[in-house]
Amino acid sequence: MADAPPHHEEQPLTIIDATPAATPVPAQSTYQTRVADYWNAEENPVNLELGKIDDLYHHHYGVGDVDWSVLDDGTDPATRGERITAELHRLEQAQADLLASHLGPLSPADRVFDAGCGRGGGSVVAHLRYGCHADGVTISRKQADFAAEQARKRGIDDRVRYHHRNMLDTGLKSGAYAASWNNESTMYVELDLLFAEHARLLRRGGRYVTITGCYNDTYGRASREVSLINAHYICDIHPRSEYFRAMVRNRLVPVHVEDLTAATIPYWELRKKADHLVTGIEDTFLSAYGNGSFQYLLIVADRV
């Protein structure tokens, strides 16, 4: 989960120049400092080994049917780990493609904003799909530098740029973006503050997309499994209903909602069998999805 303790008042950040060289350290609360420290230190194989396959580094989960033949005993056991890694990456790439497919129609002249961009894979996917300019923002200096280097190696750093900033107060130009998104990063911030910034950045009629884990209000309060996920990722998973209330309060009107829970369970079932990639949270996710207390949603909204 781009992959909390209770939230905390955000501190304002004033930035005028959007160039990376002019970017100061983002203003942040004590909690946000903890989050930045977490991601600055993070070297998890489930994030890094998958990205090495094609230099698309994602910090989210996968969707779609699994090719279970990667586990076949009749194939070379020495390559079993590599096959599982490749299949997990295929599934997470399918998730990134699904999100990107809801951003359009976009042209190469358009700009898009990737909030909580991690190591930058989503911005690259959007650029490769539409030819558009992309700005990714992360609170982790290490992630921003890593993503910028990946863009440079691809020769797209003139159109895909990454910034070490607070996604709640980016300093980027108001109304400059045709589309924006969060991919599994909304659970690190207060939703009203987040959606207010997206509404500020998007032009009228612009498109906002999020894929996120949320707890199911109809189940009741957050379940034990949700609490364990919060502790594992130092995050604070929001109730499903609050996404829609906060969006509407901030001029983002939902136009499409898709429950991806069933589509992501196969990813977790395969990841549980990846001894070289497991993090210990796999059974908790499967239990939360199974008992209905946790959902994986795609939400698409238009800025009015």
Side-chain angles (χ1 to χ4, degrees), residues 9-304:
E9 187 170 343
E10 312 299 337
Q11 300 300 316
L13 173 64
T14 301
I15 302 174
I16 302 301
D17 193 331
T19 61
T23 304
V25 176
Q28 55 199 43
S29 65
T30 301
Y31 165 70
Q32 290 174 332
T33 298
R34 287 184 60 206
V35 172
D37 290 345
Y38 175 90
W39 289 110
N40 283 330
E42 185 267 338
E43 294 286 342
N44 198 315
V46 79
N47 290 323
L48 293 173
E49 294 305 313
L50 276 62
K52 289 177 182 177
I53 292 174
D54 56 6
D55 289 329
L56 280 174
Y57 290 82
H58 300 298
H59 282 279
H60 56 71
Y61 311 131
V63 295
D65 294 331
V66 168
D67 177 3
W68 292 106
S69 70
V70 299
L71 301 178
D72 285 351
D73 293 334
T75 53
D76 184 356
T79 64
R80 185 176 190 268
E82 295 176 6
R83 297 195 306 271
I84 294 174
T85 299
E87 180 65 1
L88 288 171
H89 185 58
R90 184 186 69 81
L91 295 170
E92 69 174 9
Q93 182 61 38
Q95 192 263 34
D97 288 334
L98 175 64
L99 189 153
S101 72
H102 287 280
L103 297 173
L106 297 171
S107 75
D110 286 323
R111 304 195 72 88
V112 298
F113 170 56
D114 183 358
C117 64
R119 288 186 171 94
S123 296
V124 176
V125 169
H127 166 73
L128 295 178
R129 186 183 188 95
Y130 299 107
C132 55
H133 296 262
D135 285 293
V137 165
T138 171
I139 204 168
S140 164
R141 165 57 73 185
K142 182 178 178 180
Q143 288 184 339
D145 290 345
F146 183 95
E149 178 61 14
Q150 292 300 307
R152 187 194 66 77
K153 287 180 179 179
R154 286 178 177 271
I156 59 175
D157 52 319
D158 60 329
R159 299 181 71 82
V160 179
R161 299 192 303 167
Y162 298 96
H163 312 273
H164 176 216
R165 301 189 183 182
N166 187 330
M167 65 179 169
L168 301 182
D169 194 354
T170 64
L172 299 174
K173 185 178 179 182
S174 297
Y177 294 86
S180 65
W181 70 91
N182 287 89
N183 198 344
E184 294 183 22
S185 55
T186 57
M187 61 288 300
Y188 287 104
V189 293
E190 295 178 43
L191 293 181
D192 272 304
L193 296 174
L194 175 66
F195 295 152
E197 182 67 352
H198 280 285
R200 184 186 71 80
L201 293 172
L202 287 169
R203 67 194 185 196
R204 189 176 183 89
R207 172 66 51 85
Y208 172 73
V209 182
T210 185
I211 294 181
T212 189
C214 56
Y215 76 78
N216 184 356
D217 303 66
T218 64
Y219 180 91
R221 297 183 63 83
S223 66
R224 175 179 178 273
E225 290 86 355
V226 169
S227 297
L228 290 172
I229 295 169
N230 280 337
H232 184 86
Y233 289 108
I234 323 177
C235 66
D236 190 5
I237 293 166
H238 303 290
R240 179 180 63 185
S241 62
E242 185 56 25
Y243 279 90
F244 303 101
R245 293 191 183 107
M247 283 182 180
V248 172
R249 286 194 295 262
N250 290 281
R251 305 184 68 177
L252 298 173
V253 178
V255 294
H256 177 76
V257 180
E258 189 171 346
D259 187 347
L260 300 176
T261 304
T264 197
I265 287 175
Y267 163 89
W268 286 99
E269 291 174 335
L270 178 62
R271 179 166 147 177
K272 182 180 175 180
K273 298 179 182 298
D275 295 340
H276 60 305
L277 298 176
V278 293
T279 65
I281 199 65
E282 289 77 15
D283 281 330
T284 303
F285 269 85
L286 287 169
S287 177
Y289 289 139
N291 66 29
S293 66
F294 190 53
Q295 292 179 290
Y296 197 51
L297 292 189
L298 163 74
I299 307 172
V300 182
D302 286 342
R303 199 279 198 192
V304 298

